[in-house]
Amino acid sequence: MADSLLQRHRSVMPTWISLYYDEPIQIVRGEGRYVFDADGHRYLDFFGGILTTMVGHAVPEVVGAIAEQAGRVIHSSTLYLIEPMVELAERLAAQSGIPNAKVFFTTSGTEANDAALLLASGYRRSNQVIAIKNSYHGRSFTQISVTGNRNWSPSSFSPLAVSWLQGGSRLRGPLAGLTDAEYLARGKADLEDVLMTTTSGDVAAIIAEPIQGVGGFCLPPDGYFGELQKILAPHGILYISDEVQTGFGRTGEHFWGYEAQGVQPDMITFAKGVGNGMALAGVIARAEIMDSLGASSISTFGGSPVAASAGVATFDYLMTHNLQRNALVRGAELRQGLEEAAANNPSIGEIRGKGLMLGVEFVEGAGMDPAPKLANEALERAKQRGLLIGKGGLFGNVLRIAPPLSVTQGEMSEALAIFKEVLGGDQA
């Protein structure tokens, strides 16, 4: 069955749509933290459709909200009042930490980041933007221009004038071996130099992920971006926190990733888990920024009745079950278990991240060279043992591990038993 679908896929889908595994699978059903493929195999899902199935598969509260709303009306567009959209906006604005916040809904993180940069460029009357090396913000024409990863940037053309700050791996390159204090000092000096040499001074915004998602879960020291904001603020430069992957308690420490950075964002973009798999995303911004758009606009599908109903149910489930706390506790178990499993494997250069957002980087040689072949082999071994995880990093050599925030202690133990087999030194 899968072979037939694979051939059909290859016949009509672009070659640049990636598929995991030597033998790709079709997921046809999910329950909690488990999914089942078309051949009846069960897998423990520790990637959640790229950090998107945030509270689990087939959660009755979310499914019920979707079904109930779909039974009334599926679509109307933002030309009409949509009660669940307003309800979700109220929840997100209150939780954002942004004073006098307003919310605009989109259908993807890419579109959310597009909207944020549109608002910033209009508000500041500038198309100059600062982005971070090794970042990923989406696949649109605008977003590839602020994506600091050549694997995801197929064009050099851009509507934005982008200047780049340091970021990425601390295993190799200019950040290798730096202490947190040295990293911070170099980052501040880098920003001062960029502002003085590669911009005309009227920069619209900086856009940054608290933890780089596609980039392999790389992250700076806590407080880093807060120190950079002290340099940016006197220039009026807006701060956009891309929380597409770090939001909603995934790091365990905070609801938003920016909170560990000492930042006061002017805008937050969100997506992924907000609708637990429904096409839902958006921007939270200070009212004066959100209302500054100098033209009329709508969203045909953003914040649709069904998607917004899923968002409200997901948000309420997240808060009622204190899943941020669960991410902290289960994340600590995951990190400890990964470190123990990898202790005798010299091919693992680093385990990093926070909460239920952890990366395992594979390396080889004395120079810590990237080892994408070893990472891919580990990905395959995990699947063969019934565990689905992700992969990323600039060189494709990082395992990305991000289960639903509702993962249980028993499921974590099951996964760690598999990781012990997959990451053990004798497997390298």
Side-chain angles (χ1 to χ4, degrees), residues 86-103:
V86 174
E87 288 181 358
L88 182 56
E90 290 169 340
R91 286 162 168 76
L92 293 173
Q95 194 68 39
S96 70
I98 295 177
N100 197 24
K102 289 191 173 184
V103 184

Side-chain angles (χ1 to χ4, degrees), residues 9-10 12-19:
H9 180 282
R10 288 173 173 167
V12 295
M13 306 303 290
T15 56
W16 39 262
I17 291 183
S18 300
L19 288 170

Side-chain angles (χ1 to χ4, degrees), residues 7-163:
Q7 293 305 313
R8 291 165 57 196
H9 180 282
R10 288 173 173 167
S11 295
V12 295
M13 306 303 290
T15 56
W16 39 262
I17 291 183
S18 300
L19 288 170
Y20 274 171
Y21 308 120
D22 294 337
E23 297 179 0
I25 61 174
Q26 177 192 4
I27 295 174
V28 298
R29 184 167 62 90
E31 293 178 5
R33 273 65 54 191
Y34 293 92
V35 293
F36 301 80
D37 70 15
D39 296 318
H41 300 121
R42 188 182 81 158
Y43 304 91
L44 187 54
D45 184 5
F46 265 47
F47 199 40
I50 319 178
L51 292 79
T52 299
T53 310
M54 183 167 67
V55 301
H57 297 276
V59 175
E61 291 87 339
V62 179
V63 174
I66 292 171
E68 182 180 355
Q69 179 60 55
R72 294 198 300 269
V73 63
I74 291 176
H75 176 72
S76 63
S77 90
T78 56
L79 293 172
Y80 305 94
L81 292 171
I82 302 173
E83 185 172 11
M85 181 174 71
V86 174
E87 288 181 358
L88 182 56
E90 290 169 340
R91 286 162 168 76
L92 293 173
Q95 194 68 39
S96 70
I98 295 177
N100 197 24
K102 289 191 173 184
V103 184
F104 175 72
F105 289 102
T106 66
T107 58
S108 71
T110 294
E111 191 187 351
N113 285 328
D114 271 344
L117 289 175
L118 174 64
L119 289 167
S121 61
Y123 182 78
R124 291 278 295 156
R125 310 307 297 167
S126 168
N127 76 329
Q128 295 184 87
V129 175
I130 295 173
I132 314 299
K133 295 176 183 178
N134 198 53
S135 60
Y136 177 85
H137 298 288
R139 56 170 176 74
S140 69
F141 184 53
T142 303
Q143 294 314 300
I144 61 174
S145 67
V146 290
T147 288
N149 183 323
R150 65 182 180 183
N151 297 316
W152 297 92
S153 299
S155 172
S156 62
F157 297 106
S158 170
L160 300 172
V162 183
S163 296

Side-chain angles (χ1 to χ4, degrees), residues 78-282:
T78 56
L79 293 172
Y80 305 94
L81 292 171
I82 302 173
E83 185 172 11
M85 181 174 71
V86 174
E87 288 181 358
L88 182 56
E90 290 169 340
R91 286 162 168 76
L92 293 173
Q95 194 68 39
S96 70
I98 295 177
N100 197 24
K102 289 191 173 184
V103 184
F104 175 72
F105 289 102
T106 66
T107 58
S108 71
T110 294
E111 191 187 351
N113 285 328
D114 271 344
L117 289 175
L118 174 64
L119 289 167
S121 61
Y123 182 78
R124 291 278 295 156
R125 310 307 297 167
S126 168
N127 76 329
Q128 295 184 87
V129 175
I130 295 173
I132 314 299
K133 295 176 183 178
N134 198 53
S135 60
Y136 177 85
H137 298 288
R139 56 170 176 74
S140 69
F141 184 53
T142 303
Q143 294 314 300
I144 61 174
S145 67
V146 290
T147 288
N149 183 323
R150 65 182 180 183
N151 297 316
W152 297 92
S153 299
S155 172
S156 62
F157 297 106
S158 170
L160 300 172
V162 183
S163 296
W164 297 97
L165 296 184
Q166 68 175 28
S169 174
R170 299 178 70 174
L171 290 178
R172 65 187 67 82
L175 302 179
L178 297 183
T179 65
D180 287 354
E182 291 169 337
Y183 189 111
L184 176 58
R186 181 169 295 187
K188 292 167 67 175
D190 186 31
L191 175 56
E192 294 276 18
D193 183 64
V194 163
L195 289 173
M196 185 167 51
T197 62
T198 69
T199 78
S200 63
D202 57 342
V203 176
I206 183 174
I207 184 168
E209 303 161 275
I211 300 175
Q212 295 179 330
V214 171
F217 293 173
C218 294
L219 69 164
D222 284 356
Y224 175 72
F225 286 118
E227 291 299 309
L228 296 192
Q229 191 178 36
K230 292 177 182 178
I231 298 172
L232 298 168
H235 299 277
I237 299 170
L238 303 179
Y239 192 100
I240 303 170
S241 187
D242 181 341
E243 301 276 356
V244 168
Q245 297 196 29
T246 50
F248 303 98
R250 179 160 289 278
T251 69
E253 299 175 341
H254 305 284
F255 191 87
W256 304 105
Y258 83 77
E259 294 177 271
Q261 291 295 327
V263 168
Q264 175 56 68
D266 298 286
M267 287 185 267
I268 295 169
T269 59
F270 60 88
K272 298 294 186 188
V274 63
N276 203 47
M278 296 296 289
L280 184 63

